[in-house]
Amino acid sequence: MHSSLHDASQSSLHGSDTTQQVSAVLLREHKGGLMTAVKATLERDLTLLLRRRGEVLNPLVFFALVITLFPIAISPDPELLAVIAPGLLWVAALLAALLSLDSLFRSDYDDGSLEQLLLAPQPLVALSLAKVAVHWLLTGLPLALMAPMLGIMLALPAGSYAILALSLALGTASLSLIGAIGAALTVGLARGGVLLSLLVLPLYIPVLIFGAGAVQAAIFGDGVSAHLAILGALLAASLMLAPWAIAASLRISING
Amino acid sequence: MAFDSFSEFLAMGGHAPYVWSAWGVTALLLLATVWHARAEQRQLLKGLKRRARRANSARGNVQ
Amino acid sequence: MWAFIHKLGSPKWFYAISAKLQPWFWAAAVLLLVTGSLWGLAFAPADYQQGNSFRIIYVHVPAAFLAQSIFIAMAVSGLVFMVWKIKVADMAAAVMAPLGAAMTFVALFSGAVWGVPTWGTWWMWDARLTSMLILLFLYLGVIALRGAFTSRDSASRAASVLAMVGVINIPIIKYSVDWWYTLHQPASFTLTSRPTMPTEMWLPLVIMVLGFYSFFIALTLMRTRSEILRREANKRWVQDLVKGQVVNAQAEEAR
């Protein structure tokens, strides 16, 4: 791609060398389409987050820690734990996802790159969707993959481990989308953390109901497809609607 | 009239504490919101009037 | 007709028009609430199963209806504010939220109190009560968010966005909680799903619901006018209005 740009600048401008370099630089703008912008945001955020690997692990460590609290607090007896395991795993994963939301826009807001994102010619809706996708890839998915291991610790009955991971993967995607609305609304506030959970937790309840319901249904052996279908529907709805709310909220928080 | 006497009405067939506490809290909250709304309006008007009087007196001294 | 609605958008006109409308709604509210209460408490027949504790329905159901309608009204006025930039719509939305939260609390409290003679416990994870509890958290979220911003314009727009997101989620939450309740609970007796009520029980309920709604409209008109005074305090028409009152007051003192 660079070579074509270079020839274009040479053929049109026959000025001296310096003007050529200047014009070459000017003309090297990417042919910016929507997909290139989205891909660029994805790559940027992935590399940024992977540089701070510690921060990526925090939700996972939190998830494991919360799970270990319950046998200590309630009782180590496997029969009792098996009954409450699906609900505990889902609530702990949900809280871990909630905790990691605050940092979703926070670092970009602090160093001003969020404003650059708003000024980008491409629609903010798509760019915010890309940011949320990165958040899901680095928190939702790992939580889902880690959950079966913690399920063993809670004596989760056999046959529900795959469903646990699948429902968590599906559920945390809508959790990230809905939570990003709250994160965008509270990014401008100094102490937005607690407020974020107050805004977002009521909206998490349908996902929690069907997610935990799916795992329980798997344990009792009756049909899981209904739960997963509804989780998918919730995801489809939030995929369609949430980015608009996120974009609007980001614009509000920036000039808040 | 579903009750024969006023005292029976108060007793509510043994459910008096539940019926009257539910209705009492509702009435209390409704009255509280009305009282708060009126107090808020009085405060605002008082503040505006005080500012208007201060503006008048200031203009009075200037002339 | 459109001129009238357009005028409603300007605070000055709204302040004047609502002054005329308000007494009517207050009168309707008092009339309806008094007749409905007397009818429901004293004249309606007792429920054959529950006896007189059934009379709590005449407070529980109107408050529950109002709680949900206020959230919808708040979201609609938030939308009107975001789309057409009508400040009065946002003032109304800001003023409605506390009343909505109060009505949700009333519905929750009366539902819990009603549960004691019916189920023998104060709190029962009944589908309706659980949805009402979540609605209360949604209200608190909107109120807290509106209070968290320093600049009023951002606070209004943030609260409007959250109200709209919330109103989309209310039916989803309601149906998922109902589904969750039927799954975990055999279809036991729920608060209001009963064989259709005879008319002499049902009529006072309609009157109470209408009474609650006119109370809501009257109170919202009144509190929106205060909010107009608070936000437009430095506008000329407010100063003239107040100066007019100050001059009259001084004239009376002089007389």
Side-chain angles (χ1 to χ4, degrees):
Chain A
M1 198 171 71
H2 288 298
S3 57
S4 61
L5 277 178
H6 193 63
D7 305 341
S9 63
Q10 245 168 351
S11 56
S12 58
L13 293 164
H14 297 297
S16 65
D17 275 357
T18 48
T19 48
Q20 257 171 347
Q21 274 99 21
V22 164
S23 62
V25 164
L26 281 176
L27 283 175
R28 187 176 295 113
E29 286 149 18
H30 275 277
K31 289 194 189 48
L34 179 61
M35 283 327 290
T36 34
V38 169
K39 205 159 64 62
T41 327
L42 270 168
E43 274 159 27
R44 172 189 173 275
D45 273 26
L46 270 173
T47 41
L48 254 179
L49 277 172
L50 288 178
R51 273 197 208 120
R52 297 193 302 265
R53 201 157 289 108
E55 216 172 294
V56 173
L57 292 178
N58 288 351
L60 307 179
V61 172
F62 172 83
F63 185 27
L65 238 171
V66 166
I67 290 297
T68 48
L69 293 184
F70 285 104
I72 293 167
I74 301 174
S75 97
D77 159 34
E79 275 81 27
L80 178 61
L81 284 178
V83 172
I84 50 175
L88 291 188
L89 287 162
W90 249 91
V91 167
L94 184 139
L95 292 178
L98 181 68
L99 266 178
S100 63
L101 274 176
D102 201 53
S103 63
L104 183 57
F105 298 116
R106 180 72 63 189
S107 51
D108 289 346
Y109 179 82
D110 293 341
D111 61 20
S113 54
L114 196 58
E115 263 155 56
Q116 300 310 323
L117 201 72
L118 261 67
L119 299 174
Q122 285 78 16
L124 178 59
V125 177
L127 302 182
S128 45
L129 191 59
K131 289 187 88 64
V132 172
V134 166
H135 174 260
W136 177 70
L137 274 173
L138 290 177
T139 50
L141 205 53
L143 285 175
L145 298 177
M146 190 181 156
M149 188 188 71
L150 296 176
I152 299 167
M153 287 164 60
L154 291 180
L156 189 70
S160 61
Y161 286 81
I163 295 299
L164 174 71
L166 184 60
S167 66
L168 266 173
L170 209 52
T172 44
S174 3
L175 294 186
S176 297
L177 278 161
I178 300 168
I181 302 174
L185 279 171
T186 56
V187 73
L189 306 173
R191 293 161 307 284
V194 179
L195 180 63
L196 169 61
S197 31
L198 172 62
L199 303 186
V200 154
L201 276 175
L203 307 176
Y204 274 2
I205 286 173
V207 178
L208 176 65
I209 288 176
F210 290 107
V215 184
Q216 269 149 12
I219 294 174
F220 296 148
D222 44 23
V224 174
S225 49
H227 304 276
L228 295 180
I230 294 173
L231 275 177
L234 287 172
L235 177 57
S238 28
L239 257 175
M240 231 178 18
L241 300 173
W244 302 95
I246 298 168
S249 311
L250 282 176
R251 286 192 209 290
I252 294 169
S253 296
I254 281 297
N255 45 38
Chain B
M1 175 74 173
F3 298 93
D4 304 334
S5 72
F6 185 68
S7 61
E8 211 181 280
F9 169 71
L10 285 186
M12 276 291 168
H15 290 300
Y18 312 121
V19 174
W20 295 120
S21 63
W23 279 76
V25 163
T26 312
L28 208 68
L29 258 171
L30 290 182
L31 293 175
T33 41
V34 173
W35 178 82
H36 164 71
R38 289 167 65 89
E40 174 188 44
Q41 198 160 33
R42 230 178 293 120
Q43 236 87 30
L44 277 167
L45 284 173
K46 207 161 54 156
L48 286 171
K49 285 199 186 106
R50 202 179 325 111
R51 224 184 325 179
R53 224 172 282 122
R54 216 179 302 124
N56 286 359
S57 57
R59 204 169 298 113
N61 311 351
V62 160
Q63 275 137 14
Chain C
M1 161 61 178
W2 282 111
F4 179 76
I5 294 203
H6 180 66
K7 272 189 202 154
L8 270 187
S10 92
K12 181 172 183 316
W13 272 97
F14 184 89
Y15 193 83
I17 295 165
S18 54
K20 288 203 283 293
L21 286 175
Q22 212 180 299
W24 294 100
F25 281 106
W26 280 120
V30 167
L31 191 70
L32 287 168
L33 286 179
V34 168
T35 40
S37 310
L38 286 178
W39 191 337
L41 276 175
F43 293 94
D47 185 73
Y48 60 94
Q49 264 176 333
Q50 289 180 34
N52 286 309
S53 69
F54 150 83
R55 294 182 195 285
I56 297 176
I57 194 175
Y58 295 116
V59 200
H60 175 72
V61 167
F65 279 5
L66 196 52
Q68 285 172 356
S69 322
I70 292 180
F71 204 97
I72 296 165
M74 197 168 62
V76 165
S77 37
L79 181 74
V80 163
F81 167 67
M82 291 289 273
V83 171
W84 289 287
K85 292 281 175 285
I86 298 179
K87 287 210 297 287
V88 173
D90 174 62
M91 295 180 196
V95 144
M96 285 181 207
L99 181 66
M103 284 301 115
T104 324
F105 174 75
V106 162
L108 272 174
F109 181 80
S110 53
V113 161
W114 194 358
V116 172
T118 327
W119 295 315
T121 60
W122 275 94
W123 179 258
M124 172 78 166
W125 286 99
D126 163 75
R128 287 180 57 79
L129 288 182
T130 317
S131 310
M132 206 50 71
L133 185 64
I134 300 168
L135 182 63
L136 182 63
F137 292 137
L138 284 173
Y139 269 115
L140 297 180
V142 172
I143 294 170
L145 182 66
R146 187 180 283 276
F149 281 84
T150 44
S151 97
R152 177 177 291 131
D153 182 54
S154 308
S156 313
R157 287 159 65 216
S160 308
V161 166
L162 186 63
M164 285 184 262
V165 168
V167 90
I168 293 174
N169 276 286
I170 283 182
I172 300 174
I173 290 174
K174 194 169 168 346
Y175 285 115
S176 44
V177 167
D178 287 350
W179 176 85
W180 158 80
Y181 180 66
T182 46
L183 184 76
H184 290 277
Q185 200 74 24
S188 72
F189 174 78
T190 53
L191 278 186
T192 46
S193 70
R194 232 190 330 284
T196 50
M197 290 195 285
T199 42
E200 66 269 21
M201 273 190 192
W202 179 78
L203 221 48
L205 187 58
V206 170
I207 294 177
M208 282 301 279
V209 168
L210 292 177
F212 267 69
Y213 274 89
S214 27
F215 173 85
F216 156 62
I217 295 169
L219 193 79
T220 306
L221 287 178
M222 172 191 249
R223 289 206 62 213
T224 309
R225 299 180 79 233
S226 316
E227 192 68 16
I228 290 175
L229 287 182
R230 178 178 293 128
R231 294 195 189 180
E232 312 274 310
N234 42 33
K235 289 277 171 51
R236 171 135 303 286
W237 68 273
V238 173
Q239 279 154 8
D240 296 348
L241 183 92
V242 171
K243 201 178 294 133
Q245 286 173 0
V246 166
V247 165
N248 302 352
Q250 274 154 358
E252 261 139 40
E253 278 150 29
R255 208 171 302 121

